[in-house]
DNA sequence: AAGGACGTCAACCGCGGTCAG
DNA sequence: TCTGACCGCGGTTGACGTCCT
């Protein structure tokens, strides 16, 4: 059967956009919203495929995108989220609301991936290349736990990204660009705090965590501890065999409201230094780029101990950024 | 100065998911 | 339930700029 082409290819322009094309597209969307991308080019008088128009709009012409150099904070956020989500650029982009997925993808491929590689970290697994296969039992359990958590977090972020997309679509489709509200802040990652709480309390006792969606209420219900779960909140339970950590996440903005209802325990002091590593490597980047391998030794001695805490550093940064950063 | 190598980034391509008919 | 149109995502390509020899 085969898939039909997305649009008539004959007579359509390809390649770089001209200022005239941009002006036509901008003018049309400002007046009518984009509506159906497929029919937009004809209506806007553009000899372009609808997909090309959508891409041009989302990556270049949208009024709410930020261009230019990535800040260190943005770099850290990308690395943290990439560790959790992998190459899910659109999901990552929802946490850097003024950056496009394409820009983040390019930045990762051209800058961050190389920097991690230079640090001796596999940019795919986010593990040190030197001992990726030499975890002790405890370490591999921790890695498995984190992987488990990442899978859940991935699913949640995807749903969240969909919400953001839908809200943006509505605002664009039904109004002029001047009426587009700023992107809503994403859910905080308080789930990670809850997870860390359970993790730190039970590391000596055969930690076997599981994450379970409890229910998705349509009306307020009474929860344990006398707390009332409001309509629209989702309730999740982290089970490690010793204790349950139950927390709720509202499904609407504002969302800095993840609540750990039970089992919130002291979070261990994770090693600071991931930021320093990044900064240090950024500082040395120019030197080494100019041909010097002066910091190769430093990279090679990126120790097992540091690798051990790599994931912890990521979690730590996520934890801190959830309270300190506007990103979370 | 020339041209080859490398880096960057905008844009394209094809696939998978979603949804309406 | 099935089918096909549409949309969005991620991987890839190619043009252009800069660096290196």
């Amino acid at each position: 059967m085969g898939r039909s082409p997305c649009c008539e290819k004959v007579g359509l322009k390809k390649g770089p956009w001209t200022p005239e094309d941009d002006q036509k597209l901008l003018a049309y969307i400002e007046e009518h919203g984009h509506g159906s991308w497929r029919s937009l080019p004809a209506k806007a008088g553009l000899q372009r495929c609808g997909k090309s128009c959508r891409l041009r709009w989302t990556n270049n012409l949208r009024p709410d995108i930020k261009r230019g150099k990535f800040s260190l904070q943005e770099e850290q956020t990308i690395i943290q989220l990439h560790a959790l989500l992998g190459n899910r650029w659109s999901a990552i982009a929802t946490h850097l609301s003024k950056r496009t997925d394409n820009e983040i993808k390019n930045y990762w491929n051209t800058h961050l991936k190389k920097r991690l590689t230079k640090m001796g970290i596999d940019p795919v697994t986010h593990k040190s290349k030197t001992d990726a296969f030499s975890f002790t039992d405890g370490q591999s359990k921790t890695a498995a736990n984190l992987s488990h958590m990442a899978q859940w977090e991935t699913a949640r972020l995807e749903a969240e990204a969909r919400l953001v997309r839908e809200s943006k679509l509505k605002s664009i489709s039904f109004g002029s660009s001047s009426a587009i509200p700023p992107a809503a802040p994403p859910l905080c990652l308080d789930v990670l705090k809850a997870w860390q709480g359970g993790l730190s309390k039970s590391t000596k006792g055969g930690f076997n965590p599981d994450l379970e969606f409890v229910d998705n209420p349509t009306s307020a219900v009474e929860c344990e501890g006398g707390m009332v779960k409001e309509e629209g909140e989702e309730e999740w339970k982290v089970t490690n065999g010793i204790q349950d950590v139950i927390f709720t996440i509202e499904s609407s903005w504002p969302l800095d409201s993840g609540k750990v209802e039970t089992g919130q325990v002291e979070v261990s002091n994770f090693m600071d230094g991931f930021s320093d590593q990044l900064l240090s490597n950024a500082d040395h980047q120019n030197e080494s780029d100019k041909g010097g391998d002066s910091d190769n030794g430093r990279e090679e001695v990126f120790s097992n101990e540091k690798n051990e805490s790599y994931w912890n550093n990521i979690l730590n940064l996520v934890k801190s950024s959830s309270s300190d950063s506007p990103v979370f």
Side-chain angles (χ1 to χ4, degrees):
Chain A
M1 183 168 12
R3 170 178 289 267
S4 64
C6 72
C7 48
E8 297 293 335
K9 303 264 179 184
V10 183
L12 293 184
K13 281 169 72 179
K14 286 174 66 175
W17 279 64
T18 64
E20 292 74 27
D21 288 343
D22 284 346
Q23 192 52 46
K24 284 180 183 176
L25 182 58
L26 264 174
Y28 182 85
I29 291 178
E30 279 178 5
E31 191 172 354
H32 304 99
H34 63 67
S36 163
W37 286 111
R38 189 182 171 87
S39 60
L40 183 148
K43 292 177 184 170
L46 286 160
Q47 300 296 309
R48 291 272 178 179
C49 154
K51 281 174 82 168
S52 178
C53 293
R54 179 178 59 80
L55 209 63
R56 184 64 183 169
W57 168 255
T58 55
N59 289 339
N60 296 276
L61 300 179
R62 247 172 45 199
D64 60 337
I65 57 176
K66 174 181 171 185
R67 309 310 297 265
K69 202 172 186 302
F70 280 73
S71 67
L72 181 66
Q73 170 113 40
E74 287 175 312
E75 291 184 0
Q76 287 178 354
T77 302
I78 292 168
I79 292 169
Q80 291 156 21
L81 290 172
H82 187 271
L84 284 169
L85 302 172
N87 295 352
R88 298 173 194 281
W89 306 115
S90 64
I92 292 171
T94 62
H95 287 274
L96 293 123
S97 58
K98 294 183 188 304
R99 300 287 189 180
T100 67
D101 53 357
N102 204 37
E103 194 177 14
I104 292 168
K105 177 176 60 181
N106 282 333
Y107 191 71
W108 172 266
N109 285 328
T110 56
H111 295 92
L112 298 180
K113 197 158 84 173
K114 289 173 189 170
R115 197 179 302 167
L116 288 181
T117 302
K118 282 176 73 69
M119 290 167 68
I121 295 169
D122 187 334
V124 177
T125 63
H126 290 255
K127 292 172 186 169
S128 171
K129 287 174 178 172
T130 57
D131 61 354
F133 302 104
S134 62
F135 278 123
T136 66
D137 278 355
Q139 288 168 335
S140 59
K141 274 183 185 172
T142 301
N145 294 339
L146 286 164
S147 173
H148 184 94
M149 178 196 71
Q151 284 178 17
W152 175 84
E153 183 64 13
T154 296
R156 193 185 63 74
L157 283 168
E158 282 174 351
E160 176 187 313
R162 186 174 296 116
L163 274 175
V164 171
R165 280 200 304 273
E166 285 170 358
S167 66
K168 281 182 180 174
L169 185 66
K170 281 175 189 168
S171 65
I172 290 170
S173 297
F174 292 108
S176 67
S177 63
S178 60
I180 295 172
L187 284 165
C188 71
L189 291 176
D190 279 2
V191 57
L192 296 181
K193 295 178 184 175
W195 185 270
Q196 283 183 325
L199 192 67
S200 62
K201 183 159 186 172
S202 56
T203 46
K204 291 180 180 177
F207 186 49
N208 181 26
D210 202 359
L211 198 68
E212 172 188 347
F213 178 62
V214 178
D215 66 358
N216 187 12
T218 54
S219 59
V221 296
E222 186 80 17
C223 295
E224 56 205 275
M227 296 189 70
V228 174
K229 180 154 48 97
E230 301 293 345
E231 181 174 4
E233 288 181 342
E234 290 183 349
E235 183 174 325
W236 293 80
K237 178 170 71 177
V238 180
T239 302
N240 62 12
I242 300 171
Q243 66 173 149
D244 292 346
V245 180
I246 295 175
F247 56 92
T248 57
I249 302 171
E250 290 178 18
S251 52
S252 59
W253 320 119
L255 287 163
D256 189 23
S257 57
K259 302 170 191 151
V260 175
E261 296 182 1
T262 64
Q264 175 70 28
V265 293
E266 183 182 353
V267 175
S268 61
N269 290 323
F270 291 123
M271 192 178 120
D272 291 329
F274 186 68
S275 300
D276 292 343
Q277 284 285 334
L278 281 172
L279 279 169
S280 172
N281 276 273
D283 290 343
H284 291 301
Q285 181 84 31
N286 289 339
E287 290 174 32
S288 55
D289 281 354
K290 286 173 184 168
D293 285 329
S294 58
D295 57 352
N296 272 4
R298 174 197 181 96
E299 288 148 10
E300 284 166 9
V301 298
F302 188 75
S303 66
N304 291 354
E305 184 184 354
K306 285 185 178 178
N307 177 60
E308 236 176 82
S309 57
Y310 177 69
W311 269 99
N312 288 340
N313 283 320
I314 290 171
L315 281 175
N316 196 30
L317 284 164
V318 169
K319 174 172 70 70
S320 60
S321 62
S322 69
S323 56
D324 300 340
S325 162
V327 171
F328 288 97

